[in-house]
Amino acid sequence: MTPKVPQKRRAAIAAQVEKAVLTTPVYDIHTHLYDPAFGELLLWGIDDLLVYHYLVAEGFRQFDLTYEQFWAMPKSQQADAIWNALFIEHSPISEACRGVLTTLNRLSLDVRKRDLPALRKWFAKWKVADYTTHVMDVAGVNRICMTNSPFDDVERVVWERGFKRDERFTAALRIDPLLLSWNDTAAPRLRDWGYDVTPELSEKTASEVRRFLADWTRRINAQYLMVSLPPDFTYPGDNACARLMETAVLPHCREFGLPFAMMPGVKRAVNPLLKLAGDGVGLCDTASYESLIAAHPDNQFLITALARENQYSLCVAARKFRNLHLFGCWWFTNIPFLIEEMTRMRLELIGLSVTPQHSDARVLDQILYKWEHSRRIIARVLVEKYADLTATGWEPTNAEIQRDVQDLFGGAFECFCSRQSAREAQTIRPTVAAKKGNRDQRSRTTPKT
Ligand code: RAT
Ligand code: ZN
């Protein structure tokens, strides 16, 4: 039997791990936040916290209001309704409710008074630029990856106009309509924007889609491409999604040295009356993802799946494919019970080659609670793991613990992304230096101010 770790030694490990986990800055690799230059697209403050779609779904379980009545209200009234239903009339114990309270607590606001007007007054004093810095400092988040869709009309014009980038905000090119609504949305839009595509996926069309992806990759300096996928996605398959992946998206990712992030398992609009809050979950077919990854060994894939039941087979897939990196506890899995289970399972099956969490924040302030809650769980699991090592006589040093935590909070992700670049340098271009030149050129071509 492995010897037990003395209580004192365990307490010392816990102190070291907690310090590292609570103080190491995070690169938040998937959010719906925006560089402040996007103005109103960057949501923040108490009303946006309260009308978060996770809370809207919970609110409707308590409201007497009809869907129409709720959606007809201005934002502040919707926030009042959610506050009353979920915080005043019932104790706010769900993860999304608790999140609002952790957020306020991290901002040093007194939540005991249950005084929504006073909270609104406090937020009204802030200017967005200062508030962004304040929130990022308190949350210990130093970089935030946005989700950027050329198909979003409000967002697209900001990119086309050009602006001075805030270096703390990186970009990810989101392409759901391209892969999931080719005929109805993407093909006509691309044609409007001057790309010579046809609904049939000819060679010419694939090359025009690649031109579109190249333009947007350069314009936003994308760090990766991403898509959310329905449970019934299959590969190989004779569908537009799989064919566009093969003929345009994956060749593009190889050319630019970028990973392709897939988020499987979302059933869009299960209840359309709930709008953004109306999406559901379904099991994905892990074998399809294995086939896709196996067929493209020169691509790097990031995956976060929505269904709890897919997490185990994906961990096993990650053991088989070095070009697959798992990340985050996405959306409905972002609750303490599942974060703990998933983190423990991932660390036990794939060690530290994983990014255990992303925030998916839609409101800036949410990074305060999402990271606070996850950090505590990650620390708890790590303490257990290091204690197990100590029991064998392998004493983890402070420096080793620090290194490991940095990997979990963005280091492993960046290393994974740069591996794609290195591979590209070997297979497509002659030297790493040439690749670096390509990256520099990409940043240079990002439109300025
Ligand atoms: O978590 C969420 O806010 C969802 O609405 C989705 O946006 C999801 O994260 C996604 O990226 O599709
Ligand atoms: Zn998201």
Side-chain angles (χ1 to χ4, degrees):
M1 215 176 104
T2 335
K4 273 193 85 180
V5 181
Q7 204 50 41
K8 222 168 135 196
R9 179 67 190 122
R10 197 185 163 94
I13 295 170
Q16 281 167 15
V17 170
E18 273 158 28
K19 183 165 175 248
V21 170
L22 297 181
T23 60
T24 300
V26 163
Y27 178 13
D28 195 343
I29 67 165
H30 170 57
T31 75
H32 298 265
L33 302 176
Y34 288 89
D35 180 318
F38 281 83
E40 301 211 328
L41 281 177
L42 172 60
L43 304 178
W44 62 281
I46 187 66
D47 285 340
D48 280 309
L49 283 169
L50 288 170
V51 301
Y52 185 32
H53 70 88
Y54 293 24
L55 289 172
V56 169
E58 293 171 30
F60 270 108
R61 301 189 56 75
Q62 306 290 358
F63 296 157
D64 288 327
L65 300 163
T66 64
Y67 293 109
E68 293 72 22
Q69 283 168 332
F70 179 79
W71 294 122
M73 290 170 167
K75 193 200 291 179
S76 60
Q77 251 181 56
Q78 292 176 350
D80 287 341
I82 289 176
W83 176 257
N84 288 330
L86 298 180
F87 291 77
I88 304 301
E89 290 161 12
H90 304 88
S91 292
I93 61 170
S94 75
E95 174 63 4
C97 287
R98 172 186 167 225
V100 174
L101 299 180
T102 302
T103 301
L104 298 173
N105 178 272
R106 299 283 289 150
L107 291 167
S108 307
L109 290 161
D110 185 356
V111 295
R112 273 172 310 186
K113 295 191 184 129
R114 292 150 168 75
D115 185 349
L116 185 52
L119 293 171
R120 285 191 171 119
K121 256 195 210 147
W122 184 87
F123 282 94
K125 287 195 294 225
W126 283 96
K127 295 240 182 321
V128 67
D130 301 335
Y131 191 62
T132 304
T133 302
H134 180 62
V135 169
M136 289 180 75
D137 282 352
V138 178
V141 170
N142 62 3
R143 255 177 322 152
I144 290 177
C145 191
M146 307 178 273
T147 296
N148 303 103
S149 172
F151 297 93
D152 180 316
D153 293 333
V154 183
E155 177 175 351
R156 193 183 59 258
V157 293
V158 181
W159 287 114
E160 284 170 345
R161 206 167 49 224
F163 60 94
K164 183 163 166 27
R165 295 281 295 263
D166 180 329
E167 286 184 355
R168 296 170 298 180
F169 289 78
T170 58
L173 183 55
R174 182 79 177 234
I175 53 170
D176 290 24
L178 184 78
L179 292 179
L180 302 176
S181 181
W182 170 251
N183 277 330
D184 296 343
T185 313
R189 300 228 71 186
L190 261 67
R191 266 202 309 278
D192 287 350
W193 298 330
Y195 299 93
D196 188 9
V197 297
T198 54
E200 310 73 55
L201 298 171
S202 62
E203 253 179 57
K204 169 78 181 163
T205 292
S207 102
E208 282 296 272
V209 171
R210 283 183 69 172
R211 187 163 72 83
F212 164 75
L213 295 172
D215 288 347
W216 276 94
T217 294
R218 291 198 185 93
R219 178 171 280 140
I220 73 176
N221 192 19
Q223 304 300 297
Y224 59 91
L225 273 74
M226 74 184 312
V227 66
S228 69
L229 290 162
D232 59 7
F233 169 75
T234 50
Y235 183 91
D238 189 22
N239 53 71
C241 180
R243 286 179 58 203
L244 277 159
M245 277 185 192
E246 275 176 336
T247 58
V249 175
L250 293 173
H252 167 80
C253 288
R254 289 195 295 274
E255 184 189 345
F256 281 76
L258 298 178
F260 180 44
M262 298 182 289
M263 306 171 82
V266 56
K267 274 193 201 162
R268 295 288 178 198
V270 166
N271 180 359
L273 298 172
L274 279 173
K275 300 194 177 179
L276 195 54
D279 300 338
V281 61
L283 272 188
C284 75
D285 174 34
T286 307
S288 284
Y289 292 86
E290 287 171 344
S291 304
L292 180 70
I293 296 166
H296 298 91
D298 293 331
N299 279 92
Q300 300 284 91
F301 295 89
L302 297 158
I303 293 191
T304 191
L306 199 49
R308 178 192 186 192
E309 297 79 357
N310 279 129
Q311 306 303 332
Y312 173 66
S313 58
L314 281 170
C315 282
V316 175
R319 293 177 64 85
K320 308 298 137 195
F321 298 103
R322 66 206 293 255
N323 57 332
L324 166 60
H325 185 86
L326 301 182
F327 73 100
C329 300
W330 181 27
W331 203 344
F332 312 118
T333 65
N334 199 352
I335 54 171
F337 167 64
L338 291 181
I339 299 170
E340 179 146 357
E341 174 179 281
M342 285 168 63
T343 303
R344 181 168 284 117
M345 182 161 64
R346 286 163 163 181
L347 294 184
E348 290 175 6
L349 272 166
I350 47 178
L352 294 155
S353 60
V354 64
T355 300
Q357 195 53 298
H358 67 268
S359 77
D360 233 308
R362 280 179 181 267
V363 183
L364 174 68
D365 329 42
Q366 288 168 343
I367 61 173
L368 291 163
Y369 93 77
K370 301 225 187 200
W371 283 107
E372 165 73 22
H373 293 184
S374 287
R375 277 182 148 115
R376 301 272 169 200
I377 298 165
I378 293 166
R380 193 154 67 229
V381 178
L382 281 177
V383 169
E384 191 188 299
K385 296 297 149 210
Y386 290 122
D388 288 347
L389 294 187
T390 305
T392 70
W394 181 280
E395 294 279 344
T397 66
N398 268 348
E400 286 166 346
I401 292 174
Q402 184 59 45
R403 172 203 61 199
D404 295 348
V405 172
Q406 273 166 230
D407 281 347
L408 293 176
F409 286 174
F413 168 77
E414 293 202 90
C415 177
F416 180 79
C417 296
S418 62
R419 230 191 276 155
Q420 167 83 51
S421 313
R423 197 162 301 158
E424 183 216 346
Q426 280 163 19
T427 55
I428 301 174
R429 289 174 216 278
T431 61
V432 174
K435 167 66 203 150
K436 191 177 168 308
N438 184 26
R439 260 185 197 269
D440 292 349
Q441 189 188 5
R442 241 195 290 144
S443 333
R444 271 204 306 277
T445 49
T446 305
K448 288 236 179 62
T449 41

